[in-house]
Amino acid sequence: MRIGLRQNRLAAPKTDSDLAYDSSVSGRRGYVDRKCDKLQPCGSCDRAGVPCIYTDRTKERKYNSDHVERLEKRIRQAEARNKSLADELSRARSNADAVSSSQAREPSAPWAHAKSPDAVSEVSYLSINAAGERQPYLGSTSGVLFADLIRSSVSSTVQSDLTPTFSSPGGSEPNSIVSTTQVATVVRKVDNLPPQALAQKLVAAFLDHENIIYPFLYPFFLLDTLEKVYADEDYYVSQASPFEVFILNMVFAIASAHVAKFDWQLLPSAESHQARAFAEMNHVLSHGSVESLQCLLLICIWRTTSSIKDYSTSMWHTVGIAVRMALELGLHRESAYPIKHASELDDAKLSQYRHQELGRRCFWCVIAMDRITSYILGRPLGIRDDDIDTALPLVESDTLLTRPLASTVAGMQRIAIFNKIVQYRLFCGKLITSLHRKRGPDVSIEDALRLRDELADELDLWYSSLQELQLPDNATSDDGEQSCYLSPTWYEVLYANATLMIWRPCPFLSDITNDRHTLQRIYDSAIHAINTYAILHRSRLINYSWVTLQSVFMAGLSYIYAGL
């Protein structure tokens, strides 16, 4: 009906009312512009017999200059990033054409086109592809053998065409730590840095979250670098060392993922922070010092915790490089730490003590990363417990080394929390080497069951020792910004995951039929793990990551297995 009226109006000659309407809308030359008298409807439209429609500008959204400037900066960053990606895509296509032409002359790998059953292929995808790996080997703790056991017990006739297939070794995707094309396109510019207020917020978020579980960056160094960069623009462009630029921008990138839980608008900026840091990659990794090890650890944290995109070209290789670098520096031996006490030291000795304790913290962070990666991929440990005689960091030294931050977080020693988490990682490494291996002929079934019970008791002892940390009873804080490492719920997840790894089927006990007690332990732990993960996600204490996804998926498979 409305269309018909419009057509008639266009076809018929205009009346006086039509001309009045045209003049009020467009101010056409030759007619008097009749202003609105703010009535509803206005007098002009009422006399012309036309609908009175106007916009109430008092209800329009207003944007301040800071918001507009931030949006313009993001547009410029996005345009630069798009150009970089377009160049990288062009080079990748040329390389892919060369690889495909060479592969056309070679027989294809048997796994390149095969479709696996759903559960097995999904676990493989979570363990390999999500971790950036492209190699076909997976061990027991990755869950692939466990998923295959479930698959054999359930008659499944549905094949999923959406399940990703694995590319053969020697594919076009590189296994290097960082793509060289990413490095060449980033230049040092002060304009690319976040505003100072936002930068301070990101650094504080890093120190209050990641620095608790990975305390290999001293707060006073990080805060001092931040102050120098924003106090003098020339310092960042020409005077700051590659190490300072890399550390600061990687902290921005890692913290953005954590802060994004509370302000999603900060999410796109994490990529630009990471790109600026990786521009200094060749310089910071060429020395092979403790500083290089710190940079490698930041890369591992970024790839492990980032929920923006899968940047992990190969966690297995990256962590392996960090392990070998720590061994070359001798950080696994207590003899590398000559100063035993920090009391009454002069400035020179105090500086040396800080540096040696920095190496100690870096080493234990590497061990924690190694245990996480080995557990997810089911592969051998990068360094065995028997090769380590380095002591954990002393709680007494934390006050000296973490200034100007308080050494306690909500009444808890920061380094005490770190030590408890490292003890858990070491326990997981013990599980990998004890239960998830083939049982020798000299080990009886009774001995194997006794070992499993001893491991369960050791896990219970670790869990009960958490009372020493005096964690708060509430799982979340009022403002929602509490770190998950200060929440008892997060430690319940660790306990449930380790319990599942102890009681679910493993190569060491492959010929043992699970009794009702074992199945009940698996069932209870699986439900507890799924529920606690849900609590942490709802309370925004953890972000999505491939490590979290793999753990939740394995808990779900354990729940299905116990219910069969």
Side-chain angles (χ1 to χ4, degrees), residues 395-469:
V395 176
E396 292 75 14
S397 66
D398 202 34
T399 304
L400 176 65
L401 300 177
T402 58
R403 67 169 186 84
L405 290 184
S407 62
T408 59
V409 182
M412 297 163 285
Q413 291 285 346
R414 297 173 67 98
I415 205 64
I417 298 174
F418 171 70
N419 289 344
K420 286 295 180 183
I421 296 174
V422 169
Q423 292 170 4
Y424 174 82
R425 302 301 181 195
L426 291 173
F427 176 77
C428 291
K430 188 175 182 180
L431 284 179
I432 294 173
T433 57
S434 299
L435 296 182
H436 293 270
R437 62 180 177 87
K438 185 178 179 181
R439 189 172 78 248
D442 55 334
V443 180
S444 63
I445 294 179
E446 290 75 14
D447 293 336
L449 293 175
R450 189 180 303 109
L451 174 61
R452 186 179 67 176
D453 293 338
E454 291 175 356
L455 290 172
D457 293 339
E458 185 176 346
L459 177 63
D460 292 337
L461 185 62
W462 172 85
Y463 187 70
S464 61
S465 68
L466 294 175
Q467 297 178 357
E468 302 171 1
L469 300 179

Side-chain angles (χ1 to χ4, degrees), residues 226-264:
L226 180 68
E227 181 180 356
K228 289 188 293 186
V229 165
Y230 282 90
D232 184 5
E233 294 183 355
D234 294 336
Y235 181 83
Y236 178 79
V237 176
S238 57
Q239 301 178 32
S241 66
F243 176 72
E244 290 175 316
V245 175
F246 183 90
I247 292 293
L248 191 62
N249 282 289
M250 282 303 298
V251 166
F252 289 161
I254 295 170
S256 294
H258 176 65
V259 177
K261 293 183 297 185
F262 313 104
D263 187 358
W264 64 269

Side-chain angles (χ1 to χ4, degrees), residues 89 97 152 160 202 214 298 409 454 457 492 537 542 561:
L89 179 61
D97 293 339
S152 63
S160 174
L202 292 176
Y214 298 115
L298 284 174
V409 182
E454 291 175 356
D457 293 339
E492 292 178 18
H537 275 286
I542 60 175
Y561 173 79

Side-chain angles (χ1 to χ4, degrees), residues 33 54 70 96 110 144 153 160-161 219 237 240 249 263 284 303 305 307 325 383 394 405 482 490 521 539 542:
D33 185 12
Y54 63 93
R70 186 163 59 250
V144 173
S153 304
S160 174
D161 294 333
V237 176
N249 282 289
D263 187 358
V284 298
R303 293 175 174 177
T305 61
S307 58
M325 189 178 294
I383 179 173
L394 294 176
L405 290 184
Q482 179 183 353
W490 189 75
R521 291 294 298 268
S539 58
I542 60 175

